[in-house]
Amino acid sequence: MSNLDLGVVLFALMMVLIIARMPIAISMFVCGSLGFGILAGWRPLLALMADAPYSRVANHELTIIPLFVLMGQFAANGGIGRALYASARAWVGHFRGGLAMATIGGCAAFGAICGSSIATGATMATIAIPEMRRHGYSGALATGVLAAGGTLGILIPPSIILVIYAILTEQSLAHLFLAAMIPGIIAAFGYGIAVWVYVRFRPAAGPSAELASWRERFRSLNAIWPVAVIFGTVIGGIYLGVFTPTEGAAVGAATTGCFSWAIGGMRLEGFKAAVLETAKITGMIFLILIGAEFYSSFLALSQLPQALSGWIGGLGLPPFAVLLTIVLVYLLLGCVMDALAMILITVPVFLPVIMGLDFGLSPEAVVVWFGIIVLCVVEIGLITPPIGLNVYVINSMAEGVPMTDSFKGIVPFFISDLVRVAIIIGFPATTTWLAGLT
């Protein structure tokens, strides 16, 4: 069996293990170690085992991950999400479907200081589900909008997935954060339009809430300024070079913690919960990174990425046809894999293919553009059956709502996501314009 054949076989084996619900990190470690041992020898594998776990995580750049996770946990435990939802509800809740639109607005604002899809969706669900139920919203719309709105947490900067992509591709994190801004805005508006269309056809699914007075509306804006300060400080500071991304993450975590304490939403128990959850999430991410290190080492020996790039180049397909094929693969993988695993497994394979094609952009712009496309597509995986992790999390918090209703409720938002991906592919400037201003 050739190196290439072994690469294909073990990639297929890894996918089978993942579908069989073996943890992603272990699946990558098993297949990567087996392949590396066969190709390089078992003694070199032992040497890799002694060195790779430490060298992978003993990286100063990775300190940004627990800091951004801690920032999100402080926000989740500090009551900031409740204040954001209340403000959005005061402004748009009186429209038909207004509470669902308020949920999207709350998710978008909360995602700007969270960076986690599940944390964003779960935090807003505890606030929005009882309110939507009280006003007679259908279970399908309530859970669908929360599952979709939660995905804004990994799209709107800061984003843990973008941090990992920046490290993998050795790109400027500030450029990637800026590149995600316009797609994030498009996503939020697209979800709002999806809600509007949904309630046009099913008015009973999203009744209007009571009208808030102008005084209540303007008073609710007091909840917005802490988020604006945190977001502006972190993103603006990184963009202007006032501090590095790691320093920006530290400043963001400290600022979010102070605001959460000041508004009375977080006390000692909340602080402990935030720190413990940060440790668990960081440990999970680092374990996946270690598994990916072994699999990447094997992948380099197998020459699978180079062979795939050469094979696609030999087909003579137009560059955009190749890109659409890769997007389709991501959509299919999203049915059985989580976002972080997809990034770590596929980017080393697909990025060389994309870089070998001519899209009329500079190499740096192609890496940024492709990264945002990948981010958007793996985000779709969070609401795609049979896994649809966000849908399962939100459904588990909405007692009495059948899972089939939740997946039905996600359909208009899924369509909105596909339209957004098409816009980004057709108009690369949606991702490269802001990043190109630096």
Side-chain angles (χ1 to χ4, degrees), residues 381-436:
L382 292 169
I383 58 174
T384 305
I387 289 184
L389 188 57
N390 264 27
V391 183
Y392 279 91
V393 170
I394 300 302
N395 182 267
S396 68
M397 301 177 69
E399 187 177 348
V401 179
M403 182 63 70
T404 52
D405 283 2
S406 294
F407 276 115
K408 288 176 183 177
I410 210 69
V411 170
F413 305 103
F414 181 83
I415 294 171
S416 174
D417 281 338
L418 294 181
V419 172
R420 171 163 42 95
V421 171
I423 291 172
I424 295 171
I425 291 175
F427 303 95
T430 53
T431 64
T432 58
W433 178 66
L434 275 180

Side-chain angles (χ1 to χ4, degrees), residues 147-422:
T151 63
L152 297 173
I154 66 169
L155 180 59
I156 297 176
S159 166
I160 300 300
I161 300 296
L162 274 184
V163 171
I164 299 296
Y165 183 84
I167 293 172
L168 281 177
T169 58
E170 300 180 349
Q171 293 298 305
S172 165
L173 184 58
H175 284 185
L176 286 168
F177 278 179
L178 288 173
M181 292 283 195
I182 293 177
I185 294 171
I186 294 173
F189 275 100
Y191 288 164
I193 292 171
V195 171
W196 181 80
V197 172
Y198 192 101
V199 296
R200 289 278 293 181
F201 286 96
R202 297 186 178 180
S208 58
E210 58 273 12
L211 177 66
S213 68
W214 283 104
R215 184 178 181 182
E216 290 174 324
R217 294 182 192 182
F218 284 108
R219 182 182 296 172
S220 72
L221 295 179
N222 290 331
I224 301 297
W225 72 266
V227 175
V229 169
I230 296 168
F231 182 78
T233 300
V234 174
I235 303 301
I238 294 173
Y239 172 70
L240 296 174
V242 176
F243 36 65
T244 66
T246 302
E247 292 168 345
V251 169
T255 307
T256 306
C258 290
F259 273 122
S260 296
W261 189 277
I263 64 177
M266 185 177 70
R267 288 296 179 257
L268 184 58
E269 289 303 315
F271 178 81
K272 289 180 180 178
V275 172
L276 287 174
E277 190 64 23
T278 297
K280 288 193 287 187
I281 294 173
T282 302
M284 178 269 293
I285 293 174
F286 278 24
L287 191 60
I288 293 176
L289 288 173
I290 292 171
E293 182 73 10
F294 282 88
Y295 186 74
S296 297
S297 298
F298 157 64
L299 209 58
L301 291 177
S302 72
Q303 298 292 302
L304 180 60
Q306 294 86 339
L308 180 62
S309 179
W311 177 72
I312 292 177
L315 292 177
L317 294 174
F320 281 95
V322 175
L323 178 60
L324 290 174
T325 302
I326 291 174
V327 167
L328 179 60
V329 172
Y330 271 113
L331 290 174
L332 294 174
L333 290 177
C335 297
V336 295
M337 295 175 66
D338 65 32
L340 181 58
M342 274 195 284
I343 292 288
L344 291 170
I345 291 171
T346 60
V347 166
V349 176
F350 290 145
L351 186 58
V353 175
I354 293 296
M355 296 303 294
L357 302 173
D358 181 15
F359 292 98
L361 302 171
S362 67
E364 294 78 11
V366 169
V367 177
V368 170
W369 176 53
F370 181 66
I372 303 304
I373 291 173
V374 170
L375 181 68
C376 291
V377 177
V378 300
E379 169 200 316
I380 296 174
L382 292 169
I383 58 174
T384 305
I387 289 184
L389 188 57
N390 264 27
V391 183
Y392 279 91
V393 170
I394 300 302
N395 182 267
S396 68
M397 301 177 69
E399 187 177 348
V401 179
M403 182 63 70
T404 52
D405 283 2
S406 294
F407 276 115
K408 288 176 183 177
I410 210 69
V411 170
F413 305 103
F414 181 83
I415 294 171
S416 174
D417 281 338
L418 294 181
V419 172
R420 171 163 42 95
V421 171

Side-chain angles (χ1 to χ4, degrees), residues 82-138:
R82 184 175 300 277
L84 291 171
Y85 178 78
S87 179
R89 179 191 178 283
W91 284 91
V92 300
H94 58 284
F95 294 113
R96 184 182 295 165
L99 293 182
M101 295 180 186
T103 299
I104 293 167
C107 286
F110 191 77
I113 56 173
C114 181
S116 166
S117 172
I118 293 176
T120 299
T123 299
M124 298 307 297
T126 60
I127 307 159
I129 287 178
E131 193 72 8
M132 285 192 277
R133 274 185 167 166
R134 185 168 71 86
H135 287 87
Y137 274 58
S138 70

